[in-house]
Amino acid sequence: MVGKTESQNGAVKATAAPAMNLESDLFSNFSFKSFKLKTKQQELLLRVSILGLVYILAFITRLFSVLRYESMIHEFDPYFNYRTTLFLTEKGFYEFWNWFDSESWYPLGRIIGGTLYPGLMVTAAFIYWTLRFLRFAVHIREVCVLTAPFFASNTTVVAYFFGKEIWDSGAGLVAAAFIAICPGYISRSVAGSYDNEGVAIFALLLTFYLFVKAVNTGSLAWALASAFGYFYMVSAWGGYVFIINLIPLYVLVLLITGRYSMRLYVAYNCMYVLGMLLAMQIRFVGFQHVQSGEHMAAMGVFFLMQVFYFLDWVKYMLSDTKLFQAFLRITVTSAIAVGALALGVGTASGYISPWTGRFYSLLDPTYAKDNIPIIASVSEHQPTAWSSFMFDFHILLFLFPAGLYFCFKKLSDATIFIVMYGLTSMYFAGVMVRLILVATPAVCLISAIAVSATIKNLTSLLRTKSKTAVAGSSKGTGGSKASSKASFDQSQPFQKNGAIALLLGAFYLLSKYATHCTWVTSEAYSSPSIVLAARGAHGNRVIFDDYREAYFWLRQNTPPDAKVMSWWDYGYQITAMGNRTVIVDNNTWNNTHIATVGRAMSSYEDEAYEIMRSLDVDYVLVVFGGVTGYSSDDINKFLWMVRIGGGVFPVIKEPDYLVNGDYRVDKGAAPKMLNCLMYKLSYYRFGELVTEYGKPPG
Amino acid sequence: MAISPKMNHLILYFAAIMTLLVSLSTSDSNSDLVSELLNLQSQSEAGVIHLNDQLVSRFLTSTKTPRSYSILIFFDAHQLHNKPELHLQELRNEFSLVASSFIANNVDNPSSRGKLFFCYLEFKESQSSFALFAVNSLPHIRLVGPDAKSLKDDSVQMEQGDFARMAESMADFVQSRTKLTVGPIQRPPLLSKKQIGLIVVVILIWIPFMAKKIFAGETLLHDRKIWLLGSVFVYFFSVSGAMHNIIRKMPMFLADRNDPNKLVFFYQGSGMQLGAEGFAVGFLYTIVGLLLALMTHGLVRVKSVSIQRWVMIVSLLISFWAVNKVIYLDNWKTGYGVHGFWPSSWN
């Protein structure tokens, strides 16, 4: 019941927010005589209250999962984050920083402090300590569960300021309302999805906003702030590579289109140098900023900026233009040549590492499929079909081209930035489903520009009409827009009707958007995937809590030093909930180790036994959904185990497990398939007892 | 196209006459057969010998086992080339790649060159050979080893899985069965040397003009409209799922399984899409957005009121239709029924 009222609020408020925004103009114009407040103050009040409502809306719409299930951590990676946060709050920062975890990647172990982005854990721990300091006795789990919604709310505020910076405050408000309920963002920030992205999108947008602000003002303070925003982003998510490539690209475009200015020089240099130095403090990133190929673009643009500055200075000193032209040519060519030479020498000598597979697969999307099965196997790395775009953006997709058009009509440094951000992230979103998340803020902002500009035009048109009808004067108050100017002939009634029709259409679309978002949040994005819900035969909800039961079974019934082998998906959960040592987990840093597990799973039982003895395995955990009809079980993932195993050990061949190119698990399956460890474990005594099945065999 | 089959036939007749002459004059010793095969191989394109009924009987059925060579036969049927789901042409190309790589990698090694020959049979002209091998479905690739007496029972069929990974897996199959090394597959480069040369020349000619324009500051880069068009294109490209089509190599449309004459343009089920489907939807998205921009920025400049009126009504109708269509398609495709959460008392 509670869930229903919540969602009801969400839908109504979402539609109300853009509506109120334009009413703010109307309101302030009509009633400034009857109120004591000045127009400016009224507008401010309205703006702040709308923003406050949006802030709350963004938070509560993400609480569906808590209402539907319970306050718990979702999915796979968040369990690792939760485990490390717990460690951080219990043992303190230095212990956390130097933590060597022997419970995962047995027998190798993992240096946690050096292989993770600590931003999320430190943020959550900081919130926890603050609440504790204020004498709120909360459990760390609650803090972890609610971190993502809290940061989503903060993102709406940043979106408002960003929208205000690139267009006007109306666009900012609409953008805040859009991003508060946009499914593309909600998918990664519902309560309980305690993952890096929840914090990172906030940091990403903040960095971009501060940088654009710095470029617009040319102030060192904003550039400094943006460097710190970048530092936070680097500490939170590997996606910072997007920032460190987009900003140089943006600067490069500005240079090419002849928009070089002192403001740009100050903003970029400060942000790059300080941001780089700060980012090096994160151990996982280390010296990558000067050593890896992914960061070289930023450095190249940094040097190019110096060349530009130098040229500017020489131009100022030289009066002869001919001489300068010659000088220009020589300097630019030699600068480019020196840069290319340095890059070549660096790469050849191994000082600059080449691009990583993930990065490369973004530029050449077919790369991953052919070469790195471990990247291609993850479901969120699949390419995006149009329906996913529709599902995550809904009407924003329709508004996006219009917003692009508006941006090009009013080209400035800021709009160029947002256009570039939108287009690059759109392209990446097309390559990988998960990158829709990165595109979401840009899409929201650009669509907000379209909505805000359109509605502003229309309402000003309407208002002019009503004014002229009442006062009989042809001088509209706010009619500075071109749309209202061209229409002062006999066509007034029609103009008005047209505007009303367009407005109604716009509101219809916006309300559809709100409905869609609420529905998607409630039905699709709020399931924790560790507890499954299904509709029973009579329409009642059936909850399958088998995962957690299995992990607790491990915890209660196995010796504390037992080693559990499972496919890597379940590694984090077994360590976090089962408290047992695992062979591989979701941090897929060692492909060979994973391939060994894949090989064991796809070998005959006697061969698999040998492999498992060599790894000291005591228990094997397989997930089988044949009884409950759960589709993403290990049998479904099995082909990827074969592929990844076969990628390292050529003994394993995919065609051996297929019948005429088809994957089947019934009687007609390939003999190798029927006799491999995974199949034997999954269908162990399947025919005999069906009701009591579910425990992993040892 | 009209000439090449004729030429092939001529070569064939020539080869057949040659073999007849050769067979009359000399005894059928193994080494002669090998040299004949080598001769045929050097005449044929990519080293894949075109066999027919006579040649099959000459090289396979009428010889004494053990032969000194193995023959890998690709069963081809020209009339089935237009069925995309069989991938006959693709496989045929891969097959000739394996053949040419084998020949190229064993140039210095004549003894192993004479041990394996790549051939193909065309269904129309060699139906009896097809019957001899008992081949009744394509694609079909068969290896006739040196000891094979009965073509049907003793030869080895290449399993579906063995040509799933194209030329490389075919080579693996050959290596495992014949103990001959095929070596690395030598794929032809994407651009031939001439094309690369041409491109380089064009770029060289173009550079001075470009440099002049850049210094003058009047390139396309300075034109706003080009940037706008480019960005709308990038948008269209992304949202229509073109990347998905490229990565997954999706076809534009499929033939209906139940009714082969009907084409399926829209695929039901999220996470998958067909090429034409994506472009259609992307087009709908783009058109609505651009119409909105047009109405607010372009239409207001038009002087005539009636034109304004009509354009506006038409674009409103089109937008309404497009949005409805996309939402309908989305609901159909994903199977979701989006609905609001209204208070229960409202119903």
Side-chain angles (χ1 to χ4, degrees):
Chain A
M1 264 339 281
V2 192
K4 273 211 155 172
T5 42
E6 286 290 345
S7 61
Q8 165 64 10
N9 283 347
V12 168
K13 257 174 221 154
T15 45
M20 275 164 120
N21 137 49
L22 47 113
E23 264 173 39
S24 68
D25 285 24
L26 266 176
F27 212 67
S28 52
N29 267 309
F30 278 133
S31 51
F32 66 97
K33 272 172 198 157
S34 51
F35 281 98
K36 286 282 186 290
L37 286 169
K38 283 188 190 131
T39 324
K40 275 250 161 121
Q41 289 170 318
Q42 274 179 5
E43 206 195 332
L44 187 72
L45 183 68
L46 269 171
R47 221 187 293 159
V48 169
S49 48
I50 291 169
L51 209 55
L53 285 174
V54 168
Y55 192 89
I56 296 166
L57 167 71
F59 193 82
I60 59 172
T61 193
R62 284 166 170 78
L63 295 183
F64 271 118
S65 56
V66 176
L67 298 168
R68 286 276 161 85
Y69 298 90
E70 60 179 75
S71 169
M72 64 173 153
I73 311 283
H74 294 184
E75 309 219 357
F76 303 106
D77 285 17
Y79 270 97
F80 168 76
N81 300 332
Y82 173 58
R83 180 165 158 249
T84 45
T85 316
L86 203 63
F87 189 89
L88 171 62
T89 50
E90 278 167 5
K91 302 267 172 71
F93 186 75
Y94 287 100
E95 281 286 310
F96 168 73
W97 201 233
N98 297 318
W99 183 15
F100 177 79
D101 180 21
S102 56
E103 284 198 356
S104 57
W105 292 94
Y106 184 84
L108 308 171
R110 177 182 173 192
I111 307 157
I112 298 277
T115 56
L116 93 173
Y117 293 101
L120 178 72
M121 296 91 193
V122 173
T123 311
F126 185 72
I127 297 174
Y128 174 71
W129 285 325
T130 316
L131 287 174
R132 276 295 164 119
F133 178 74
L134 298 172
R135 296 295 177 268
F136 288 106
V138 289
H139 190 269
I140 180 69
R141 195 192 63 233
E142 312 293 339
V143 176
C144 292
V145 165
L146 295 179
T147 301
F150 173 62
F151 271 88
S153 295
N154 295 341
T155 310
T156 61
V157 179
V158 180
Y160 164 72
F161 283 110
F162 203 171
K164 194 177 164 193
E165 189 64 32
I166 54 177
W167 203 257
D168 57 12
S169 54
L173 282 178
V174 180
F178 275 165
I179 206 168
I181 57 169
C182 184
Y185 184 26
I186 286 182
S187 66
R188 288 316 181 111
S189 63
V190 290
S193 101
Y194 177 56
D195 212 344
N196 292 337
E197 288 94 329
V199 176
I201 291 302
F202 165 75
L204 178 96
L205 204 60
L206 185 71
T207 313
F208 283 155
Y209 162 64
L210 292 171
F211 184 72
V212 168
K213 188 92 184 166
V215 171
N216 274 349
T217 54
S219 117
L220 262 180
W222 287 114
L224 184 69
S226 136
F228 275 101
Y230 178 65
F231 172 59
Y232 188 50
M233 176 71 192
V234 175
S235 77
W237 195 36
Y240 76 88
V241 177
F242 179 62
I243 299 187
I244 202 66
N245 282 295
L246 178 65
I247 286 184
L249 190 69
Y250 164 65
V251 173
L252 196 66
V253 165
L254 286 191
L255 291 184
I256 287 175
T257 49
R259 284 173 169 269
Y260 168 78
S261 63
M262 206 56 209
R263 294 174 283 119
L264 187 67
Y265 183 81
V266 169
Y268 183 71
N269 285 334
C270 176
M271 148 70 213
Y272 176 67
V273 173
L274 278 175
M276 180 173 74
L277 288 177
L278 283 170
M280 283 180 185
Q281 311 311 311
I282 308 290
R283 266 169 73 199
F284 192 27
V285 178
F287 286 101
Q288 278 185 29
H289 273 77
V290 284
Q291 284 187 340
S292 104
E294 286 147 32
H295 303 75
M296 280 306 124
M299 190 180 266
V301 169
F302 173 71
F303 287 121
L304 197 65
M305 286 291 274
Q306 313 312 318
V307 173
F308 256 81
Y309 183 74
F310 177 66
L311 284 176
D312 232 30
W313 178 73
V314 171
K315 194 179 183 181
Y316 172 72
M317 299 297 280
L318 279 178
S319 48
D320 189 354
T321 42
K322 268 250 172 89
L323 214 59
F324 176 71
Q325 285 289 335
F327 181 74
L328 180 82
R329 250 168 263 176
I330 292 163
T331 355
V332 168
T333 354
S334 53
I336 290 173
V338 166
L341 198 70
L343 192 69
V345 168
T347 318
S349 63
Y351 182 69
I352 298 171
S353 65
W355 287 345
T356 57
R358 269 165 222 249
F359 192 74
Y360 197 71
S361 69
L362 277 181
L363 299 181
D364 174 17
T366 48
Y367 177 80
K369 195 184 155 211
D370 300 336
N371 296 299
I372 338 171
I374 201 147
I375 291 183
S377 76
V378 183
S379 69
E380 57 189 23
H381 290 171
Q382 303 306 312
T384 319
W386 71 265
S387 52
S388 314
F389 274 113
M390 187 66 199
F391 196 64
D392 279 351
F393 290 140
H394 203 241
I395 62 153
L396 301 186
L397 275 183
F398 293 111
L399 299 169
F400 190 80
L404 277 183
Y405 185 78
F406 287 163
C407 285
F408 272 98
K409 277 281 157 191
K410 193 177 134 186
L411 221 49
S412 67
D413 289 356
T415 49
I416 289 178
F417 181 82
I418 194 69
V419 166
M420 289 193 55
Y421 173 29
L423 290 178
T424 45
S425 58
M426 262 298 202
Y427 170 76
F428 292 141
V431 178
M432 273 191 204
V433 171
R434 73 186 302 199
L435 293 179
I436 283 188
L437 176 74
V438 177
T440 304
V443 173
C444 286
L445 279 164
I446 293 181
S447 309
I449 289 173
V451 169
S452 166
T454 310
I455 290 183
K456 205 166 186 177
N457 286 355
L458 291 174
T459 43
S460 66
L461 194 80
L462 271 185
R463 212 164 53 223
T464 329
K465 287 294 162 296
S466 51
K467 281 260 166 182
T468 45
V470 171
S473 132
S474 64
K475 282 196 176 175
T477 44
S480 57
K481 287 276 167 269
S483 55
S484 56
K485 265 186 190 166
S487 54
F488 267 127
D489 358 58
Q490 312 86 321
S491 63
Q492 279 182 4
F494 174 76
Q495 282 278 334
K496 200 172 166 185
N497 289 344
I500 288 175
L502 268 179
L503 265 185
L504 283 180
F507 286 132
Y508 177 72
L509 274 183
L510 291 174
S511 61
K512 274 277 161 204
Y513 173 68
T515 321
H516 176 88
C517 292
T518 320
W519 186 86
V520 167
T521 314
S522 128
E523 300 290 319
Y525 284 146
S526 290
S527 54
S529 91
I530 187 155
V531 177
L532 311 164
R535 296 268 173 216
H538 309 290
N540 52 330
R541 269 159 64 90
V542 186
I543 298 276
F544 298 110
D545 208 353
D546 293 358
Y547 271 112
R548 293 200 293 178
E549 280 171 19
Y551 296 136
F552 275 94
W553 185 90
L554 277 179
R555 196 182 192 122
Q556 304 292 336
N557 297 300
T558 61
D561 60 344
K563 281 93 189 165
V564 181
M565 182 175 96
S566 71
W567 191 233
W568 57 265
D569 296 19
Y570 314 108
Y572 279 162
Q573 293 179 344
I574 295 173
T575 39
M577 279 188 279
N579 201 16
R580 292 292 174 268
T581 306
V582 292
I583 307 296
V584 291
D585 65 24
N586 309 42
N587 179 269
T588 51
W589 64 277
N590 188 330
N591 195 15
T592 318
H593 216 51
I594 292 178
T596 312
V597 172
R599 182 183 175 188
M601 292 288 191
S602 44
S603 305
Y604 296 128
E605 280 170 300
D606 49 341
E607 296 165 18
Y609 185 75
E610 290 303 315
I611 299 170
M612 294 193 295
R613 287 311 302 168
S614 69
L615 288 171
D616 277 356
V617 173
D618 299 312
Y619 292 84
V620 179
L621 182 139
V622 295
V623 174
F624 177 59
V627 182
T628 52
Y630 174 55
S631 62
S632 43
D633 62 351
D634 277 349
I635 284 290
N636 199 5
K637 292 169 186 165
F638 181 63
L639 269 193
W640 285 110
M641 301 183 200
V642 173
R643 274 175 212 154
I644 292 169
V648 177
F649 304 102
V651 204
I652 309 288
K653 286 202 195 72
E654 192 181 340
D656 292 347
Y657 298 86
L658 302 174
V659 183
N660 290 330
D662 288 334
Y663 179 60
R664 34 195 303 195
V665 291
D666 55 355
K667 212 170 25 172
K672 186 125 197 206
M673 172 78 207
L674 288 177
N675 286 307
C676 71
L677 179 71
M678 172 56 72
Y679 188 88
K680 289 261 180 178
L681 290 181
S682 292
Y683 287 95
Y684 175 69
R685 289 165 69 190
F686 185 55
E688 293 172 35
L689 46 119
V690 182
T691 44
E692 291 257 314
Y693 195 82
K695 292 287 181 289
Chain B
M1 280 311 286
I3 296 166
S4 65
K6 248 187 194 169
M7 287 286 282
N8 270 344
H9 283 287
L10 276 180
I11 291 168
L12 261 176
Y13 289 134
F14 180 71
I17 290 164
M18 280 282 290
T19 47
L20 270 175
L21 286 175
V22 169
S23 64
L24 282 174
S25 61
T26 61
S27 63
D28 276 2
S29 76
N30 260 326
S31 59
D32 290 334
L33 287 176
V34 168
S35 60
E36 257 184 76
L37 278 168
L38 281 173
N39 191 24
L40 281 175
Q41 190 181 57
S42 62
Q43 286 164 1
S44 44
E45 185 192 353
V48 181
I49 302 167
H50 185 155
L51 290 183
N52 52 20
D53 291 346
Q54 290 88 4
L55 290 174
V56 165
S57 92
R58 171 153 180 73
F59 292 118
L60 291 172
T61 43
S62 65
T63 51
K64 275 184 291 215
T65 53
R67 287 179 287 267
S68 70
Y69 49 84
S70 328
I71 287 187
L72 187 67
I73 303 173
F74 183 88
F75 293 84
D76 202 357
H78 230 279
Q79 73 231 43
L80 294 178
H81 276 195
N82 55 0
K83 296 235 163 124
E85 66 270 19
L86 290 180
H87 302 289
L88 268 186
Q89 267 174 315
E90 263 176 70
L91 288 171
R92 173 82 171 74
N93 290 338
E94 296 293 314
F95 186 77
S96 27
L97 264 181
V98 179
S100 53
S101 309
F102 174 75
I103 294 166
N105 291 332
N106 287 303
V107 166
D108 309 327
N109 194 358
S111 65
S112 60
R113 239 192 102 177
K115 289 235 169 76
L116 174 69
F117 293 96
F118 293 81
C119 309
Y120 79 95
L121 273 169
E122 167 61 40
F123 178 68
K124 269 206 177 142
E125 51 182 47
S126 337
Q127 294 192 1
S128 60
S129 299
F130 268 65
L132 216 53
F133 283 98
V135 173
N136 43 24
S137 71
L138 293 183
H140 196 112
I141 300 174
R142 211 167 245 278
L143 179 74
V144 186
D147 304 319
K149 277 188 186 130
S150 145
L151 292 183
K152 191 170 106 186
D153 300 324
D154 296 342
S155 59
V156 206
Q157 188 194 342
M158 198 186 277
E159 293 290 326
Q160 195 105 42
D162 284 319
F163 46 79
R165 280 187 304 119
M166 313 312 273
E168 281 76 8
S169 56
M170 287 188 201
D172 287 350
F173 171 83
V174 170
Q175 283 175 354
S176 68
R177 297 302 157 99
T178 62
K179 313 283 180 260
L180 296 167
T181 46
V182 176
I185 302 294
Q186 296 171 351
R187 289 179 186 277
L190 205 61
L191 295 168
S192 69
K193 273 181 188 160
K194 275 183 195 169
Q195 282 167 316
I196 291 176
L198 192 71
I199 290 171
V200 167
V201 168
V202 168
I203 289 177
L204 279 181
I205 294 171
W206 182 59
I207 279 177
F209 292 100
M210 195 62 209
K212 195 183 156 196
K213 285 231 165 168
I214 285 181
F215 285 116
E218 51 186 39
T219 48
L220 293 178
L221 292 176
H222 295 84
D223 191 348
R224 229 177 250 197
K225 283 195 185 109
I226 299 289
W227 285 94
L228 178 62
L229 276 181
S231 49
V232 170
F233 173 74
V234 170
Y235 161 81
F236 173 76
F237 187 76
S238 306
V239 293
S240 63
M243 286 320 298
H244 176 273
N245 297 337
I246 292 173
I247 294 172
R248 291 281 169 80
K249 299 204 177 76
M250 295 305 289
M252 274 295 166
F253 45 79
L254 290 174
D256 199 334
R257 280 201 183 175
N258 306 322
D259 177 9
N261 292 327
K262 240 170 76 180
L263 295 177
V264 177
F265 286 99
F266 285 84
Y267 182 91
Q268 190 164 17
S270 56
M272 264 277 278
Q273 67 168 33
L274 297 174
E277 170 186 356
F279 287 124
V281 175
F283 177 70
L284 290 182
Y285 290 149
T286 317
I287 214 168
V288 175
L290 290 183
L291 277 179
L292 184 61
L294 176 84
M295 277 198 284
T296 43
H297 275 79
L299 199 57
V300 286
R301 305 247 173 79
V302 178
K303 285 272 158 25
S304 156
V305 177
S306 61
I307 289 180
Q308 268 186 347
R309 225 170 263 186
W310 280 111
V311 170
M312 190 160 147
I313 287 171
V314 167
S315 45
L316 273 181
L317 284 178
I318 290 177
S319 310
F320 182 74
W321 171 80
V323 173
N324 257 357
K325 196 77 194 162
V326 170
I327 289 179
Y328 163 77
L329 276 175
D330 187 55
N331 285 345
W332 172 80
K333 189 178 175 68
T334 55
Y336 291 124
V338 179
H339 56 82
F341 294 91
W342 309 114
S344 41
S345 60
W346 286 17
N347 292 324

